[in-house]
Amino acid sequence: MAKRSLFNILSRSPWWLSVLIATAVFMVVRQFMPDYAALASTLPFLGIAGYAGWRQSRVPNPERVTEMLAALRAMSWQEFAAIMEAAFRSEGYAVVVLIRGAADFELSKSGRVALASCKRWKVAQTGIEPLRELVLAKEAADAQECIYVAAGDLSQNARQFAAHKQIRLLCEADLAQFLAPTKGGKSKWPAGRMR
C-alpha cells in the first residue's frame, strides 16, 4: 500500500483522529442523506481507528523502550541469540542458527528464506559495512530477504542503503516492540533481566 495513502497516514496517526474524522463525516453526510447512510459512511474511518488503536496499544512507551534496550545491551550473545530465535519462531519462522558469516539466522516461512544478522546488537550506531556484508550473504544464499537487528541506531548512509536494498531493520523502538515480553503470552527474557 502506498505510504501516502489516507489509510497509511491515519493508521500512523493517533486513533482518535480517525474518530474525529468519522464524526465530521457523519455530521456532513447527515445533512444530505438518512442517518443510516451517514453512519455507514463513517465505517471505514471507525475501522481505521480500531486498527490504529490496536497498533498503538502494542508499542511500548519510551521509558519501557529505554529499559528494554539497556537490558538487551547487558546480555551475553547466547542470551540475546536465544531471545531472537524464540521471537522469530513466534513469528512463524523455521529458524536455522548459522555459525559463520554475516548472517546469524536463516529464517524460512511460506517458502521464502530470509537471513538475519544480530551479532552487532550492542553497537550504538551501525555504519553501512555490516549491511553490505548481509546483502552479499543474501545473494550467496539465494535468500529473498535480509533482516538487520541492533539495539542502537543506524547512520544516515546505512539507513539509505537499507531502504535501497530493502533490508528490514529491527533497531531501537522497533526491536523493543518485536521483543516485547508479552508477545505470545509468555516472557522470553532470561530470569532477572527485566522487571
Side-chain angles (χ1 to χ4, degrees):
M1 185 169 293
K3 287 186 179 179
R4 296 183 192 271
S5 72
L6 182 60
F7 175 80
N8 246 334
I9 291 168
L10 289 176
S11 67
R12 288 184 310 230
S13 301
W15 64 269
W16 50 263
L17 182 61
S18 294
V19 173
L20 284 177
I21 292 171
T23 304
V25 167
F26 178 80
M27 300 303 278
V28 169
V29 173
R30 187 174 180 211
Q31 301 298 316
F32 306 102
M33 301 183 83
D35 285 351
Y36 68 86
L39 184 60
S41 68
T42 66
L43 293 178
F45 296 102
L46 294 175
I48 292 171
Y51 174 72
W54 173 77
R55 277 187 59 182
Q56 291 160 20
S57 71
R58 296 182 65 213
V59 175
N61 66 36
E63 197 174 278
R64 178 78 171 135
V65 168
T66 302
E67 184 182 306
M68 290 174 72
L69 293 176
L72 290 173
R73 288 185 187 105
M75 290 180 184
S76 69
W77 166 246
Q78 290 77 17
E79 290 173 319
F80 184 71
I83 285 173
M84 288 307 301
E85 184 176 350
F88 285 130
R89 285 188 196 284
S90 76
E91 289 285 314
Y93 288 102
V95 180
V96 175
V97 178
L98 303 174
I99 305 300
R100 297 189 197 315
D104 301 303
F105 299 105
E106 181 180 282
L107 312 169
S108 304
K109 182 177 179 181
S110 304
R112 293 180 59 84
V113 175
L115 294 182
S117 176
C118 307
K119 273 203 181 101
R120 298 181 186 182
W121 86 98
K122 289 186 180 189
V123 175
Q125 187 175 58
T126 300
I128 202 167
E129 196 54 38
L131 299 176
R132 280 192 181 127
E133 293 170 6
L134 184 58
V135 168
L136 291 173
K138 172 191 150 197
E139 291 166 359
D142 202 26
Q144 288 80 34
E145 298 176 70
C146 292
I147 302 171
Y148 186 81
V149 178
D153 196 9
L154 274 76
S155 69
Q156 186 61 31
N157 285 344
R159 282 201 176 274
Q160 289 171 350
F161 181 82
H164 180 258
K165 295 292 184 176
Q166 297 180 333
I167 299 171
R168 179 180 170 195
L169 300 175
L170 288 176
C171 301
E172 295 184 310
D174 292 333
L175 178 61
Q177 182 177 352
F178 183 74
L179 294 177
T182 57
K183 192 177 204 183
K186 320 181 203 173
S187 174
K188 297 181 198 77
W189 299 90
R193 286 289 185 192
M194 295 297 291
R195 296 195 179 359

